[in-house]
Amino acid sequence: MSIVQYCILKCLFQLYPNYYDVIQEPIDLKMIAKKVMDNEYRTPDDMDREVTLMVNNAKTFNEPKSTIYKVIGTELSGSLRENQS
């Protein structure tokens, strides 16, 4: 872990100290991208499950009126449903 990554994580823990109490399976785009680059997904559905987990985590942790919740709840979730059709 680089010093920059460490500083970012430290700031996030200070801003959101209860995140890991609320979210049992954290995942983010960087983790998903690394798995793609490392060919860790056996099927597109495997990746879809983790993207869905990320969306659900964001909706669980953030307030329904927050910008993050609104963006995740409408734009990203809508895109995922369209791609499944």
Side-chain angles (χ1 to χ4, degrees):
M1 176 182 307
S2 74
I3 191 73
V4 172
Q5 289 171 322
Y6 173 78
C7 290
I8 291 170
L9 285 177
K10 185 176 178 184
C11 289
L12 288 173
F13 287 133
Q14 289 172 348
L15 289 171
Y16 309 106
N18 67 333
Y19 184 80
Y20 292 99
D21 295 332
V22 175
I23 302 301
Q24 301 303 311
E25 287 186 75
I27 187 102
D28 60 38
L29 284 175
K30 192 170 189 176
M31 293 168 69
I32 293 169
K34 182 174 180 349
K35 287 183 175 188
V36 169
M37 298 302 290
D38 294 343
N39 293 314
E40 290 186 33
Y41 293 116
R42 293 177 189 240
T43 68
D45 286 340
D46 293 338
M47 183 180 154
D48 182 61
R49 273 189 283 284
E50 292 205 323
V51 170
T52 300
L53 173 63
M54 180 185 68
V55 169
N56 289 338
N57 286 349
K59 290 173 79 174
T60 298
F61 188 75
N62 293 282
E63 296 287 327
K65 293 184 180 182
S66 71
T67 301
I68 291 173
Y69 189 99
K70 289 176 185 175
V71 169
I72 291 294
T74 57
E75 294 178 25
L76 188 53
S77 295
S79 295
L80 293 173
R81 281 191 297 272
E82 288 171 12
N83 290 331
Q84 291 177 351
S85 303

